[in-house]
Amino acid sequence: DKRGGGGGGGGSGSRQQKQTVNKIHESYETSPFAVWFDLILKLLGSAVATAGLAAAVALYPLYSLTPAAVFDGLSKGLFNVGYLIYMSALGRWLHLRLVRSRRGAGGPP
């Protein structure tokens, strides 16, 4: 026999082995929908990261030139506005409504 390789049998054993390997790969292959969904999630994550980076690039010059006292005043002013809303009739109503819904849902008070 000039082909070499020793033991007989030819290609039938190798063909059966390839079929078995193909069946194993088919049974463990990731579904196309799962791959597509993963790609969509990666696309959305990249879009959010790009938007955040663009906002940081756009706002950094303003941030770097603004004195710290201005940011301090803005944060105190925003806190006061939020506190006034919380202490208003609308704020009390929203607060009580949220507390009742949390108690009804069985969550912590």
Side-chain angles (χ1 to χ4, degrees):
D1 193 65
K2 293 184 176 182
R3 282 186 275 152
S12 69
S14 122
R15 189 177 325 121
Q16 186 177 10
Q17 184 180 6
K18 285 181 182 179
Q19 288 174 347
T20 304
V21 169
N22 286 340
K23 286 180 183 179
I24 290 171
H25 284 285
E26 286 174 9
S27 64
Y28 288 106
E29 187 176 344
T30 306
S31 102
F33 179 74
V35 172
W36 179 78
F37 190 71
D38 188 44
L39 290 172
I40 294 293
L41 287 178
K42 288 178 182 176
L43 174 71
L44 292 175
S46 295
V48 169
T50 302
L53 184 60
V57 166
L59 293 176
Y60 185 76
L62 180 66
Y63 174 77
S64 66
L65 297 174
T66 306
V70 172
F71 286 118
D72 192 39
L74 281 174
S75 65
K76 286 180 182 177
L78 288 174
F79 174 81
N80 288 336
V81 168
Y83 190 72
L84 284 174
I85 291 171
Y86 176 74
M87 294 303 294
S88 70
L90 175 65
R92 284 193 303 271
W93 177 77
L94 281 172
H95 176 76
L96 291 174
R97 183 174 174 201
L98 288 172
V99 168
R100 282 188 204 115
S101 70
R102 283 300 268 169
R103 286 185 184 158

